[in-house]
Amino acid sequence: MYILRWFLILLVLLYVLDALYTWVYKNALPRTKVSYLLSIQEEKIDYVFLGSSRTNNFIDSKIITEITGKKALNLGIQGAKMDDYYLMLQLLKKQRINTDLIFVQIDDVFNMRGSSDLVKSSLMPYIQDSLIARYVRERDSDFWKLKHLPFYRYMVYDYKLGFREFFSNLIQKKPRVDLSNGYAPKYGTVEDLKAKLPKQIASKNDVVKAMRSFAKKNNTQLIFFTSPYCGHTKNLFFIDSLQEKISPLMNYAEIFAHDDQYFYNCTHLNNKGAQVFSKRIAEDIVSKYQN
Amino acid sequence: MIYWSLMQRSLKAQNIFLLISSYIFYGWWDYRFLVLILFSTLVDYAVGQRLKSTKKPQFRKMLLWVSLVTNLVLLGFFKYYNFFVESWIEGWAQWGVHMDSTTMQIILPVGISFYTFQTLSYTIDVYKKKIEPASYFINFAAYVSFFPQLVAGPIERASHLLPQFGKQRSFDFNMAKSGLYLILWGLFQKMVIADSCATYVKAIFDNYAHLNGASLLLGAIYFAFQIYGDFAGYSNIAIGTARLFGFDLMRNFNYPYFSRNIAEFWRRWHISLSTWFRDYVYIPLGGSRGNSYLKIRNIAIIFIVSGFWHGANWTFLFWGGLNALYFIPLLIGNKNRKYLNDAEENRSFPSLKEFLQMSTTFFLSALAWIFFRSNSIGEGLAYVERLFTHFELHTEYLNVERYSIEMMPLILFFIIIEWVHRRFEHPFIGKYREVKVMAALVLLMLFGVFSDHQSFIYFQF
């Protein structure tokens, strides 16, 4: 009886905490790009950028808007992979966000499958949503526990959804990044600029295919682009192979090959580089898609 | 449940069950090393039996040596072989003699330092006729491999634990309940305090060269609490688990950070190891008898051996040596046995003097822990140097997206809880016991680290 009593108490505590956390995460000021996207509906955002940190740290939406005169949003998420881009694309549709063009960053992520922990963690408060539930079910063997065991999802992802983040949400603390822009700058340059791309490219990427078909079905235009790498990157010929598979591709891989000052590290621009790059891509958008 | 429901009446069945469970537990990590623990058990059991049947002093001494050499050779080989070979090669390299640096990739068997010391205590006590040798092999094997404390202690004495395998055990609700309380408290110490500190400690120690003195000081404080929460937490879980099976294990920690000098600290920290060294090394060396030189020598030996016991690295030796340096002035001034009671037994708050004594002792131990945590003595020295030369009183944003100061409120809360309950083995006492248990469960869920949990530090020893 003693054990049973404590077991029931524990269960009740878990349900209460789960309900409390979920309510706070869903109702607080958005602090992640996923929660921001799920907080807006039926908006017109002309240009949306999907990608990983190589979008997150590269595209200043404010510059894009200033040059193109159109509203832009950076939805790049650190560590995100193609599966995550596809989910964001589906969420854009689900939230009835009206877009003109969706720019999808592509590079060595073409060779990768799976999803990032960061994206998955930000999905947890919304796991009861059918689209998100399907996404997690297909990618996480723990799905049943995440969905049905009370508070389990918040314990497993405590690093991102633990008490610290819960408290920040509770007090409506603003995120470090302005989510209506989505750009997260990096500053300075590390000493040793080095990076390596794969030698071989995967024969195909099913997610790219699925994204294209989803976009076609929903009358959305996808534009693939490759962000800059520093000139010390090995196997840059990978991008040539990529260009053969993804066409058309806005290829910016080597535009700053001789400008180390623009890089935080070999695969990420610093703020200075991001400003120049944002200007460049905005001008290309004007010349290619606005005339 | 199986243990208490099916084997309630048969002591032999209970012991066989515990032995099999312990071997499965150990084999789960690496079944190959079961041979090692079985070999140690067989040797020491056989030595114990022969010691019982013979009275010839020379033969008895030889038997003792057989046990000592067997156990220490195994320990030395698995734990220290690579260290000695590498140190030897590095030593010659300083003189320009270069040798092939390939060493065998020897895996350190988990818990070898703990169970080796446990079996050694048995042989030595039997040799000294302090205890009777084990009558049944099953009991002895279960004693050596008893799973709750097999991999990280407490290092039990045969005189305390072995007889418990020979006594009828029946389910005691209060004992089981106190065991559950200890497990809960241990989980709190480990998952809330130690593992939370670990995030900050890693961020600070890995980037110490770029941080200011305040952050480095916080890093040292966090590591002091990380290692305490980690090891005391494990000990409490082990003691609590043992109680669920009807066993009483010795206390391993007694609120060490409330010590008023280093001598008191060592009476309260890792008690099972400190008393082991005291009884089997320090006292045989002469203890505190003899002239000052002998006393200092004995203390230095104890601390350096204790450091070396922790691991095959010069940093542990340095840590042991530093503690010896802290201890020796107390020994010379005859103050090492000064504080045998609890700090401020009858008052809620310590006096200013006691507070300063406790703070100084904590600071000294935290300073020594820096070397324990560092990868090399040079790195530890650089850390300490930067701590003092780059001291700026402001918090810094670490690469784990947290400010260095952020962990302090939880640490202060933990200190208050420990201080208030310092006369008890865990905080779940008094009329609000159930509220405290509930609060601990909530805190565990809210602040516990579940995603990035760390292995127990002492598993590596």
Side-chain angles (χ1 to χ4, degrees), chain A residues 2-3 5-6 9-10 13-14 17 21 78 151 155-160 162-164 166 176, chain B residues 173 177 180-181 199 397 400-403 406 434 437-438 441-442 445-452:
Chain A
Y2 179 81
I3 299 283
R5 185 162 64 100
W6 275 106
I9 289 173
L10 186 63
L13 285 174
L14 288 168
L17 287 174
Y21 268 51
Q78 196 184 324
F151 206 61
M155 295 205 291
V156 168
Y157 289 100
D158 60 0
Y159 187 73
K160 282 289 164 195
F163 184 80
R164 194 173 177 277
F166 167 77
R176 296 168 74 86
Chain B
F173 178 69
K177 205 159 84 168
L180 288 173
Y181 288 150
T199 305
Y397 197 66
V400 284
E401 297 177 359
R402 284 153 166 73
Y403 285 98
E406 272 184 45
E434 300 214 332
V437 170
M438 226 181 295
L441 285 172
V442 171
M445 288 183 275
L446 292 183
F447 295 106
V449 176
F450 295 88
S451 56
D452 188 28

Side-chain angles (χ1 to χ4, degrees), chain A residues 218-262:
Chain A
N218 290 284
N219 210 18
T220 306
Q221 196 179 348
L222 293 187
I223 312 288
F224 288 91
F225 73 100
T226 301
S227 298
Y229 284 99
C230 85
H232 310 282
T233 307
K234 282 187 182 170
N235 307 335
L236 264 170
F237 57 82
F238 177 89
I239 304 300
D240 299 331
S241 314
L242 182 68
Q243 204 148 12
E244 286 169 18
K245 294 191 184 279
I246 306 286
S247 183
L249 175 72
M250 293 171 78
N251 183 4
Y252 299 101
E254 296 182 64
I255 59 165
F256 296 146
H258 305 292
D259 294 299
D260 286 356
Q261 51 162 336
Y262 288 154

Side-chain angles (χ1 to χ4, degrees), chain B residues 406-421:
Chain B
E406 272 184 45
M407 186 64 202
M408 272 319 278
L410 202 55
I411 295 284
L412 291 174
F413 170 76
F414 179 62
I415 292 171
I416 293 166
I417 297 291
E418 289 230 314
W419 176 260
V420 172
H421 300 95

Side-chain angles (χ1 to χ4, degrees), chain B residues 87-104:
Chain B
S87 298
W88 172 262
I89 291 167
E90 278 169 24
W92 278 110
Q94 308 233 331
W95 297 94
V97 181
H98 296 283
M99 299 161 100
D100 182 11
S101 65
T102 48
T103 49
M104 281 189 270

Side-chain angles (χ1 to χ4, degrees), chain B residues 110-165:
Chain B
V110 167
I112 191 169
S113 309
F114 292 90
Y115 73 72
T116 299
F117 272 39
Q118 194 153 303
T119 54
L120 282 179
S121 86
Y122 166 79
T123 322
I124 297 168
D125 284 355
V126 171
Y127 173 77
K128 289 186 172 177
K129 297 182 180 171
K130 285 183 181 171
I131 56 165
E132 283 293 308
S135 310
Y136 302 104
F137 178 72
I138 297 292
N139 291 14
F140 181 69
Y143 153 75
V144 175
S145 62
F146 189 42
F147 76 90
Q149 43 87 246
L150 171 62
V151 290
I155 302 164
E156 276 294 335
R157 304 300 176 78
S159 56
H160 181 238
L161 184 59
L162 191 54
Q164 295 183 54
F165 283 93

